[in-house]
Amino acid sequence: MSEDYYMVERILTAFLTYVLVVLRCGCLILFAPFFSSEMFFTQAKIALGITFPLLLVPFAARSAMTPDYMDMQQLILLAGQEFVLGMAICFLATLIFTGVQMAGEIAGQQIGFSMANVLDPQSGIEMPMLGLINMNLTLMLFLVAKLHLVLIFILAKSYDWVPIGALLPEVNFNHPVLEMSAVQAAGLMKLGGQLAIPVMMIMLMNSIVEGFVTKTMPQMNIQVLGMPLRVVLGLSVLIFVYPAVCMMLVPHDWVFNLQDMPEGPLGDMLIEMSDMVKAMGDATPGR
């Protein structure tokens, strides 16, 4: 009878661990770049959401710090912490894509594409055309550089840095998450401005020239020639800028390595994300 009891207890413990792993890893298909995309098949999302936690259960159970007895309140708190931790990891990975999208929206407004919105297959919402192009370009670089594997590695490694139940005695993830979110938001604005500056400068020079021509030759209808000229100049600048943008986001000489992140915004994003998880683990009492 006692053996059956311990067997049932172990099964329930393993099932609870699996559910908690699903809550943290399930955020990968809800918030992470590419995995949360509408282009990612629903069947593949379901399969990934079921099988990936199964692979991580032995590692998560090895380092789990759950108490022997938990009431319903502690269980709900533990489940909420696991979901918030997974959401924070995956959400920070999307901020860099938002910055690149913002740069495309600024450039599109300067060129005159602000009224041309298209459906984004990744998020399922409408966005400006250049914003969609920048978003898909960044996503392509993210996949080509195999950074989605690095994201999965960081999520799996988080069970060593912040085991299940480690944050249960005291909520310690507020400060690292808020601080890292502020840093990422500042980097988002900086990156968006850097990517949009070339187009903004050319459009500013074009506006100055248009104003000079209007004052010197008022009989010329500059409005007829101004819009096509802005489009041609803007697209010409983008042709020369996009290779430099790709080089800035991910260096071409980087070789895939789980230990060394590439230089550039995408690599810095993953480094800051892993540092955030480590900071939460270091701030946990008793570790």
Side-chain angles (χ1 to χ4, degrees):
M1 182 67 180
S2 60
E3 294 182 359
D4 295 338
Y5 174 77
Y6 285 119
M7 180 63 68
V8 172
E9 184 179 8
R10 293 182 61 182
I11 293 175
L12 292 177
T13 302
F15 178 74
L16 175 61
T17 304
Y18 173 74
V19 172
L20 294 175
V21 173
V22 168
L23 289 175
R24 185 185 297 190
C25 296
C27 296
L28 186 73
I29 61 176
L30 294 177
F31 305 105
F34 175 67
F35 297 102
S36 62
S37 171
E38 295 289 337
M39 298 181 292
F40 204 72
F41 296 114
T42 304
Q43 295 84 349
K45 289 183 179 181
I46 296 175
L48 181 63
I50 294 175
T51 57
F52 184 54
L54 281 175
L55 299 176
L56 294 181
V57 164
F59 302 98
R62 180 184 58 188
S63 59
M65 300 175 61
T66 55
D68 296 333
Y69 174 78
M70 288 189 298
D71 55 17
M72 183 59 65
Q73 182 179 358
Q74 288 180 317
L75 186 60
I76 294 175
L77 178 60
L78 181 58
Q81 287 178 351
E82 290 299 307
F83 181 78
V84 170
L85 179 58
M87 182 179 64
I89 295 174
C90 298
F91 174 73
L92 290 178
T94 62
L95 290 181
I96 191 71
F97 291 85
T98 306
V100 175
Q101 176 189 344
M102 183 182 69
E105 294 179 2
I106 295 174
Q109 290 177 355
Q110 296 295 320
I111 297 175
F113 289 161
S114 58
M115 297 182 64
N117 292 348
V118 293
L119 182 65
D120 178 18
Q122 181 174 345
S123 60
I125 61 176
E126 288 188 356
M127 68 170 55
M129 181 172 57
L130 288 183
L132 177 62
I133 293 175
N134 284 8
M135 176 76 75
N136 290 336
L137 177 64
T138 309
L139 182 61
M140 181 187 67
L141 295 174
F142 186 77
L143 296 176
V144 169
K146 298 181 177 64
L147 296 183
H148 60 293
L149 300 180
V150 179
L151 178 60
I152 293 176
F153 173 77
I154 292 175
L155 191 61
K157 194 68 175 177
S158 67
Y159 288 100
D160 290 335
W161 298 329
V162 185
I164 295 177
L167 301 177
L168 188 59
E170 183 178 350
V171 180
N172 295 296
F173 54 82
N174 284 335
H175 178 66
V177 171
L178 293 178
E179 181 180 0
M180 194 59 61
S181 299
V183 172
Q184 289 286 69
L188 179 153
M189 301 297 294
K190 179 181 177 181
L191 177 63
Q194 287 177 340
L195 297 182
I197 278 178
V199 176
M200 294 174 64
M201 294 301 297
I202 295 298
M203 293 299 103
L204 177 61
M205 295 174 59
N206 179 70
S207 299
I208 294 174
V209 172
E210 287 182 2
F212 178 77
V213 172
T214 302
K215 287 294 184 180
T216 56
M217 292 181 290
Q219 68 277 11
M220 179 180 293
N221 190 357
I222 195 64
Q223 298 297 330
V224 176
L225 300 176
M227 190 62 190
L229 182 60
R230 295 178 73 88
V231 173
V232 171
L233 286 176
L235 293 180
S236 300
V237 172
L238 291 177
I239 290 175
F240 293 99
V241 166
Y242 273 139
V245 170
C246 295
M247 288 291 298
M248 184 183 71
L249 292 176
V250 178
H252 71 285
D253 56 348
W254 181 71
V255 179
F256 174 67
N257 190 346
L258 288 175
Q259 304 300 327
D260 299 326
M261 296 296 117
E263 298 179 356
L266 291 177
D268 293 341
M269 168 197 71
L270 296 174
I271 293 175
E272 293 172 356
M273 186 192 311
S274 60
D275 291 342
M276 179 203 70
V277 182
K278 291 178 182 177
M280 284 189 289
D282 295 338
T284 301
R287 299 203 72 218

